[in-house]
Amino acid sequence: MLHLIDKAEVDIYTVSISTITDQYLHVLNEAKAWNMEIASEFMVMAATLLSLKSKMLLPPTIKEEETNDPTEEWLDPREELIERLLVYKQFKRLGDQLEEREAEQNRVYSRLPLDLTPFTPTQNPLTGVEPEDLWKALFALLEQQKEIEQPLTKLAREEISVSERMEQIYQDLVREGELWFSKLMDIDYITRERLITTFLAILELMKLKPVICRQVDLFSDICIRLEQTRENN
Amino acid sequence: MEAKAWKSILEGIIFAAGTDGINVKELAEIVEIPKQEVQMLLNEMQLEWKLDHRGTELVQIAGKYQITTLPEHTVYIQKMAQAPTRVGLSRAAIEVLAIIAYKQPVTRVEIEEIRGVKSDRILQQLERKELIRQAGRAEGPGRPILFGTSRQFLQYFGLNKIDELPSPESIFHWQEWEEDRKNLYERLGVEGEEKVQEE
Amino acid sequence: MEAKAWKSILEGIIFAAGTDGINVKELAEIVEIPKQEVQMLLNEMQLEWKLDHRGTELVQIAGKYQITTLPEHTVYIQKMAQAPTRVGLSRAAIEVLAIIAYKQPVTRVEIEEIRGVKSDRILQQLERKELIRQAGRAEGPGRPILFGTSRQFLQYFGLNKIDELPSPESIFHWQEWEEDRKNLYERLGVEGEEKVQEE
């Protein structure tokens, strides 16, 4: 996310969630070879973005409350973000240096060591290696592999952008009149990526005001409805 | 034996060592002449090869001498059928390496804090490529693994020592840093007044 | 371009071609000059290298040019080969050997799947050191080569049979590793007989 904010010169306060998320999805599509790696990173990025953005969407009420209480300091999430962004930027620059060196080094070829076996007819290549070392090496390998496999198990990728999801939800609302949040977010029927996209889409729809959300009690289900004044759109 | 003969022998040994490379100490032990002398011969060889327009050069990588082709000949070598195709590291991998190279020893969590994304899979990949290595464990709860760069890292980037990497100060000036900070404050809409009010 | 520059390029290409070598036709295609001219340059190079007392020579083996060490330097290269640092197996080589020892017969692809990195060079190395041998071919597309350990491998370890290799129990405490062990047995596909024997 830091990368995107920096690269896209995104203004986190005014930018629409869908812009950034669409961009993520675009990145995902582009980097086919790294699909898995990026997909898992995407989850974290999206979550960070989400938490930041949701704080942004709420500020009027919270901010008033907080500033009314002089003993409590309202910590702007953006300030923290800026500091992190700066540190990150520094390492990105250092990464550029490494990349340059990599490119330079890739232009140079060397050769494999000469086959030295003809020169060592009597040497035991297993000197210093115990049979146990073999088992330990294999054990370590399989352990490592186990760790790697877990996040890989199943991550059915579904590529749907926030704007597409917004459109879907909107159409559903036009047809159904109202939707229950729990139905939209049913974890059994929805991938994690879709879950995030859906959540972002609802937030975005709220911000753009074609829909309103109602929640009767804390933790009770949220009802999503079309805003009356916009219904004729 | 005269210098020419020694140089010839040294060249043969270094050639045979290939990508493994060989350091001055080992060379001195093999040819049984003092280390300083070997070093001197090597320095002369490096110069002579250049003057001779040889098609290869003598380089020191990760403390070990090895022979490599010249960068300016890449186009020709890549046309060769046997030339290995080279795929660079991903941008994410490069970033993680940069953090490790400059902050080592460093834990996974520290790396993730800087990048703002999970990095465990990249760390595993880099470890399997032997570009990084585990360099002990940190103090504190859970005693997390500390990561550092490896010999292969130096080899991969053609470095003799890790301090051959440019210092952060040389590529990131504090004026620029301040400029960026101001810029970001503006862009994210954290304006001056707000800060004054808070104080 | 003058002859010196062409020779430098040819040297670089032949160096990079390694022990595979490269023939005149291929060289001519890469540098885009007539074959006869390439041949002439190569002849000159062979002569010049000798006169220069280079530590390597340009030889033609089975129609292909490659660079090799000089026969008179054999003693030095032997000394290097016998240095303890060069005799032992690398960590990566031990890994591959372990996989072959416990999973044999096994294909290169299976080995690479477990390690997550290319392992062809290490397989060659182990084969040259006669620790492993080709043990037939697998069924299925491409009929890939199956690898197994060699008689020398057992000899070096002083074993009579491959089953004498340590099993998990001899190294890890039974209860402690119960979970891992079960898991490993499954992955290794050896659950059957051994477990029955234990119980």
Side-chain angles (χ1 to χ4, degrees), chain A residues 77-133:
Chain A
R78 288 170 294 178
E79 279 183 46
E80 195 205 326
L81 182 75
I82 286 169
E83 291 311 315
R84 284 181 58 187
L85 204 58
L86 284 170
V87 173
Y88 175 70
K89 204 171 166 181
Q90 190 180 17
F91 282 106
K92 236 180 61 177
R93 185 80 61 85
L94 294 169
D96 293 342
Q97 297 284 319
L98 284 185
E99 218 163 34
E100 270 170 40
R101 284 216 75 106
E102 179 190 44
E104 217 172 283
Q105 198 56 24
N106 271 349
R107 299 177 60 212
V108 159
Y109 291 80
S110 52
R111 22 180 312 162
L112 296 181
L114 218 61
D115 176 11
L116 296 176
T117 19
F119 298 97
T120 56
T122 54
Q123 290 276 354
N124 175 358
L126 290 176
T127 311
V129 181
E130 295 298 322
E132 282 78 18
D133 295 333

Side-chain angles (χ1 to χ4, degrees), chain A residues 32-225:
Chain A
K32 286 241 162 68
W34 294 89
N35 263 354
M36 284 316 190
E37 179 186 312
I38 295 178
S40 68
E41 286 192 356
F42 171 82
M43 301 305 165
V44 186
M45 286 197 283
T48 316
L49 176 71
L50 200 63
S51 90
L52 191 78
K53 197 61 195 177
S54 50
K55 278 180 196 160
M56 294 292 169
L57 289 172
L58 300 169
T61 46
I62 288 182
K63 216 164 146 189
E64 268 168 54
E65 277 171 28
E66 299 282 339
T67 38
N68 284 347
D69 185 353
T71 55
E72 239 171 89
E73 204 183 332
W74 184 69
L75 232 175
D76 193 327
R78 288 170 294 178
E79 279 183 46
E80 195 205 326
L81 182 75
I82 286 169
E83 291 311 315
R84 284 181 58 187
L85 204 58
L86 284 170
V87 173
Y88 175 70
K89 204 171 166 181
Q90 190 180 17
F91 282 106
K92 236 180 61 177
R93 185 80 61 85
L94 294 169
D96 293 342
Q97 297 284 319
L98 284 185
E99 218 163 34
E100 270 170 40
R101 284 216 75 106
E102 179 190 44
E104 217 172 283
Q105 198 56 24
N106 271 349
R107 299 177 60 212
V108 159
Y109 291 80
S110 52
R111 22 180 312 162
L112 296 181
L114 218 61
D115 176 11
L116 296 176
T117 19
F119 298 97
T120 56
T122 54
Q123 290 276 354
N124 175 358
L126 290 176
T127 311
V129 181
E130 295 298 322
E132 282 78 18
D133 295 333
L134 285 190
W135 172 252
K136 282 178 191 157
L138 184 65
F139 181 81
L141 258 180
L142 294 176
E143 275 294 287
Q144 206 184 49
Q145 196 196 30
K146 204 166 70 185
E147 280 169 34
I148 295 165
E149 271 177 3
Q150 266 155 4
L152 264 173
T153 38
K154 232 169 238 146
L155 225 164
R157 274 276 299 294
E158 183 190 23
E159 312 214 332
I160 175 166
S161 70
V162 174
S163 33
E164 280 165 356
R165 189 72 182 134
M166 279 166 69
E167 186 58 31
Q168 276 179 6
I169 295 172
Y170 187 78
Q171 292 305 331
D172 284 353
L173 280 171
V174 170
R175 210 175 48 241
E176 310 267 334
E178 60 178 44
L179 290 168
W180 289 99
F181 187 71
S182 60
K183 274 272 184 301
L184 280 176
M185 303 294 258
D186 196 335
I187 279 176
D188 290 338
Y189 297 99
I190 198 166
T191 63
R192 285 212 287 175
E193 193 176 343
R194 194 179 173 86
L195 191 120
I196 290 162
T197 325
T198 306
F199 193 31
L200 291 175
I202 296 170
L203 280 179
E204 197 66 17
L205 284 167
M206 275 168 74
K207 194 177 154 208
L208 299 173
K209 297 217 167 87
V211 309
I212 45 169
C213 293
R214 273 233 169 83
Q215 188 177 29
V216 186
D217 288 311
L218 200 59
F219 303 126
S220 70
D221 205 351
I222 300 164
C223 180
I224 302 156
R225 225 175 261 154

